[in-house]
Amino acid sequence: MQIEAKNISFRYRENTPWILKDVSLKIEEGERVGLIGPSGYGKSTLVKILAGYLKPAKGEVLLDGKPLPKKGVCPVQLIYQHPEKAINPRWRMKKVLEESGMFRDEVMEALGIERDWLDRYPRELSGGELQRFCVARSLFEGTHFLFADEMSTMLDVITQAQIWNLMLKEVEERRLGLLMVTHNSSLAERICTRTINLAEINSREE
Ligand SMILES: Nc1ncnc2c1ncn2[C@@H]1O[C@H](COP(=O)(O)OP(=O)(O)OP(=O)(O)O)[C@@H](O)[C@H]1O
C-alpha cells in the first residue's frame, strides 16, 4: 500500500496566509519516515490531513490511489500528544479496545497495560497509561500506516522506550508504514529510514 498527499493546501481560516501550500509526499508501506521542520510550521496539521482528521482546501489524500475510507476503522492511524482528546470519555477502557477489535495479550503485556485498568474510565488513568491504550488501539489488524505526532513527549523515559519498542516490532513484523513527527533528532535517526523536511516541500510564502 501507498499513501500520497497530492498538492495539499490548507489554512485554518479564510483570508489568512496558507499554512500548507501545494505540499506533496508519498509514503510506502514498510518505510519509516521522520517529518521535521520548524516549530509552528504545520507538521501536526499535515499529519492530521493525512489521517483524514482535517480536510484540505485544495489537493487530496490518496490511499493506493483512492480517497481514505469514510466508514469503519481506518487503515491509517494517528497517535498524538493528547491521549485524553483521542478517547471517548464515557467509555470504559475495555469498550475502547473492543471497538477497535484490538485485544492481543502480547500487546497488552508489552505495553504494560494492567488488567484492572480495563474497567476504568479514561479520567481514572494517567496520561502515560492512557497513551498506552491509544497505541494498543492503533495496532489493530487493519492498520497499514501509523502516524505518531510527538507521541512520547509527555512520557517518562521508561514508558517511552516500552512504547517505541513495541511500535517498532509491530512496524517491522507487519511492514507498516510509519510517519513520525518529532523534535528529537536522535530518536528520528535511530528509528527512521528517511526524513522529510516540511520547509523543503512547502511552497507557502514566508
Ligand atoms: N485549530 C487551529 N486553529 C487555528 N490555527 C491553528 C490551529 N492549530 C494550529 N494552528 C496554527 O497553525 C500553524 C501550524 O501548527 P502545527 O501545530 O501544525 O505546527 P507544528 O509544525 O506541528 O508545530 P510544533 O512543532 O510546534 O508542534 C501554527 O501557526 C498554529 O498556531
Side-chain angles (χ1 to χ4, degrees):
M1 258 191 179
Q2 179 197 67
I3 189 158
E4 178 177 18
K6 227 172 154 183
N7 308 107
I8 300 283
S9 294
F10 182 88
R11 56 187 167 193
Y12 283 96
R13 270 180 294 275
E14 273 184 45
N15 303 320
T16 56
W18 294 104
I19 290 171
L20 302 171
K21 181 111 188 270
D22 210 14
V23 171
S24 297
L25 62 83
K26 272 186 204 167
I27 301 170
E28 302 281 343
E29 247 174 314
E31 276 196 299
R32 300 190 299 272
V33 180
L35 181 63
I36 58 167
S39 179
Y41 200 78
K43 302 181 292 299
S44 297
T45 305
L46 179 58
V47 288
K48 281 187 191 141
I49 292 171
L50 278 167
Y53 284 42
L54 288 174
K55 209 175 147 338
K58 295 181 194 161
E60 53 189 346
V61 175
L62 301 172
L63 193 63
D64 278 350
K66 295 186 216 86
L68 293 176
K70 288 207 176 66
K71 275 199 229 146
V73 270
C74 188
V76 179
Q77 289 286 313
L78 171 62
I79 306 163
Y80 58 110
Q81 221 179 342
H82 303 287
E84 70 286 355
K85 292 188 195 161
I87 285 181
N88 186 335
R90 287 183 293 275
W91 285 2
R92 287 182 204 269
M93 301 316 295
K94 203 192 300 179
K95 188 166 175 190
V96 171
L97 289 182
E98 277 167 6
E99 189 224 13
S100 71
M102 171 66 210
F103 203 96
R104 270 160 53 208
D105 280 332
E106 147 199 41
V107 169
M108 301 299 136
E109 209 165 288
L111 288 172
I113 292 178
E114 293 177 19
R115 286 271 154 187
D116 80 295
W117 297 353
L118 295 172
D119 292 322
R120 298 196 203 168
Y121 289 99
R123 63 169 184 279
E124 297 168 334
L125 291 166
S126 74
E129 290 164 356
L130 261 190
Q131 192 65 307
R132 297 169 210 229
F133 280 96
C134 290
V135 172
R137 180 175 66 167
S138 73
L139 292 171
F140 81 102
E141 62 177 23
T143 301
H144 289 269
F145 289 94
L146 274 179
F147 299 157
D149 184 0
E150 298 278 4
M151 162 186 92
S152 55
T153 320
M154 36 94 81
L155 307 174
D156 64 82
V157 186
I158 294 172
T159 311
Q160 279 195 23
Q162 216 174 13
I163 288 184
W164 273 114
N165 285 343
L166 174 80
M167 287 264 289
L168 290 176
K169 184 167 168 274
E170 293 276 324
V171 162
E172 212 141 90
E173 283 177 7
R174 294 162 56 180
R175 287 195 44 79
L176 305 178
L178 173 73
L179 179 70
M180 66 180 290
V181 178
T182 184
H183 290 283
N184 183 338
S185 51
S186 67
L187 184 69
E189 253 167 52
R190 219 161 351 119
I191 290 175
C192 299
T193 47
R194 68 177 167 112
T195 53
I196 296 175
N197 185 342
L198 183 54
E200 286 171 9
I201 58 167
N202 197 356
S203 315
R204 77 183 201 188
E205 283 163 25
E206 296 303 327

